[in-house]
Amino acid sequence: MVFGFDSLLRCTLALSAFISYSHADEKYLDRLHKHMSLLQREGSVETWTDHQIVAGAKLDKAVMDALRSSDLFIALVSPDYIASNYCYEKEFEEALRLFENGKLHIVPVIVEPCDWLSSPFRQFMALPKDGKPISEWTNANVAYLDVVSGIRRLVSTGKTDTVPVGTGPSAAVTSGRRIKIKQEFDSIQRGEFIDQAYEVIRDYFKSSCDELSGIDDLKAKFHRMSDSSFTCTVVNRGIKGGREAHITVHNSKGSRHHFGDINYVFEAHAGTNTSNGSIRVNADDYNMYLTLGFGGLMGRDNSKYDAQQAAEALWLEFIGHAGIEYD
């Protein structure tokens, strides 16, 4: 969906986002607000929730007035949301009517597993990626980052990947099918892709280190060496004498003398002249993606990863050296 003229005028100032949620999911709302704080500080997005209704105000009128003056409807979708008569039958139904009139853009954010694909939400490309519920991500901060990245694209371009099926150049004419358009990717696009991937990987490691440090017998430290390098150390004190794991990650930007686009070494503060493996940008006829390599003659994993999947795979390999894994 591309916004109409009036909405685009508002976007030049700030995108007005109505956040619809069940009160049972308030913890997700609080976390989303924290991740959106930079967008709000920049003046790119203004959010509205029912917290802004003042005492004595007429509830329905306040909600509908806010909804009808918004550019964006963000629904935090969960079993509680779908079961809520007010959220689903009043707010969402009105949002659908406004959408059909070209006055509103709808973005479902799936926070918990639920039957949303049997609802009208199935018309829309959901966030996080592939509609995977936030509660099922190993690191929820990465899920929220994916959500905020989608909203940021919407702010910067007036459109987003969360377009409904059947509207937009990449959507199919009939519901449920999507057209794939062949394209070629130049060096600038590949460079931007790897820079973005490196940032996702770096942020994933930082937030994961913070998470581990809050667990008994585990200690993790993240250090940003430069704009293109970071190093991490994890100590598992649950093993007698402690077991440590180290990693240094470099954004090599595809330089020929490096081992890959993103190079990693299982040492602390390692230089760029050694490698235990690498992450490379590849492309098919339709998309760019990442592949993982394991230094020397060990070969490559030819699976196609996005940035967060590559970050998770590398993180799990790293902490495995310290005898740590997730259920």
Side-chain angles (χ1 to χ4, degrees), residues 127-138:
L127 295 173
K129 183 177 175 63
D130 297 326
K132 180 179 178 180
I134 289 175
S135 63
E136 293 191 344
W137 289 62
T138 301

Side-chain angles (χ1 to χ4, degrees), residues 194-219:
I194 198 62
D195 283 344
Q196 292 169 1
Y198 172 78
E199 290 176 3
V200 169
I201 293 167
R202 180 193 64 206
D203 293 346
Y204 187 102
F205 270 69
K206 184 179 187 304
S207 58
S208 296
C209 282
D210 292 342
E211 181 183 40
L212 282 192
S213 290
I215 300 173
D216 291 342
D217 294 327
L218 298 180
K219 183 67 176 177

Side-chain angles (χ1 to χ4, degrees), residues 132-284:
K132 180 179 178 180
I134 289 175
S135 63
E136 293 191 344
W137 289 62
T138 301
N139 187 328
N141 285 320
V142 178
Y144 285 108
L145 176 61
D146 188 78
V147 172
V148 171
S149 296
I151 296 170
R152 185 174 288 280
R153 288 194 298 272
L154 178 59
V155 172
S156 63
T157 66
K159 58 185 180 180
T160 185
D161 292 340
T162 56
V163 293
V165 173
T167 66
S170 63
V173 175
T174 57
S175 177
R177 296 185 297 172
R178 294 184 67 81
I179 292 171
K180 298 196 330 184
I181 302 172
K182 289 186 177 182
Q183 55 184 313
E184 295 180 353
F185 301 97
D186 58 37
S187 60
I188 293 176
Q189 289 172 305
R190 294 173 70 92
E192 291 175 345
F193 185 84
I194 198 62
D195 283 344
Q196 292 169 1
Y198 172 78
E199 290 176 3
V200 169
I201 293 167
R202 180 193 64 206
D203 293 346
Y204 187 102
F205 270 69
K206 184 179 187 304
S207 58
S208 296
C209 282
D210 292 342
E211 181 183 40
L212 282 192
S213 290
I215 300 173
D216 291 342
D217 294 327
L218 298 180
K219 183 67 176 177
K221 184 174 182 179
F222 173 94
H223 176 68
R224 182 169 176 165
M225 297 165 59
S226 69
D227 288 342
S228 58
S229 299
F230 69 85
T231 188
C232 292
T233 294
V234 169
V235 180
N236 179 359
R237 294 171 178 162
I239 296 176
K240 186 175 181 180
R243 180 181 295 178
E244 297 186 2
H246 308 276
I247 192 170
T248 301
V249 180
H250 299 284
N251 180 1
S252 304
K253 299 182 182 293
S255 299
R256 291 186 177 181
H257 61 281
H258 288 94
F259 298 93
D261 296 299
I262 296 175
N263 180 48
Y264 59 90
V265 186
F266 292 121
E267 300 174 10
H269 298 275
T272 59
N273 59 342
T274 59
S275 176
N276 291 123
S278 64
I279 299 172
R280 296 180 184 272
V281 178
N282 288 281
D284 54 25

Side-chain angles (χ1 to χ4, degrees), residues 21-89:
Y21 72 104
S22 164
H23 285 186
D25 297 322
E26 193 143 7
K27 64 180 181 180
Y28 295 107
L29 175 69
D30 291 343
R31 197 64 186 164
L32 179 61
H33 268 140
K34 290 179 181 178
H35 277 265
M36 291 181 66
S37 60
L38 187 57
L39 282 169
Q40 293 173 306
R41 191 174 294 122
E42 292 170 352
S44 300
V45 172
E46 293 178 352
T47 60
W48 191 94
T49 68
D50 58 4
H51 291 120
Q52 291 163 250
I53 300 175
V54 298
K58 293 182 178 180
L59 177 64
D60 286 351
K61 184 177 186 305
V63 169
M64 291 302 151
D65 284 351
L67 178 53
R68 291 163 187 160
S69 64
S70 296
D71 303 300
L72 180 63
F73 180 84
I74 300 174
L76 305 189
V77 185
S78 70
D80 290 294
Y81 186 95
I82 292 175
S84 168
N85 290 336
Y86 198 90
C87 292
Y88 191 85
E89 296 183 9

Side-chain angles (χ1 to χ4, degrees), residues 5-6 51 58 65 93 98 100 145 188 196 211 237 256 286 292 300 303 319:
F5 181 72
D6 289 342
H51 291 120
K58 293 182 178 180
D65 284 351
E93 289 296 327
L98 293 169
E100 290 167 359
L145 176 61
I188 293 176
Q196 292 169 1
E211 181 183 40
R237 294 171 178 162
R256 291 186 177 181
Y286 306 100
L292 305 184
R300 299 196 64 78
S303 301
I319 64 173

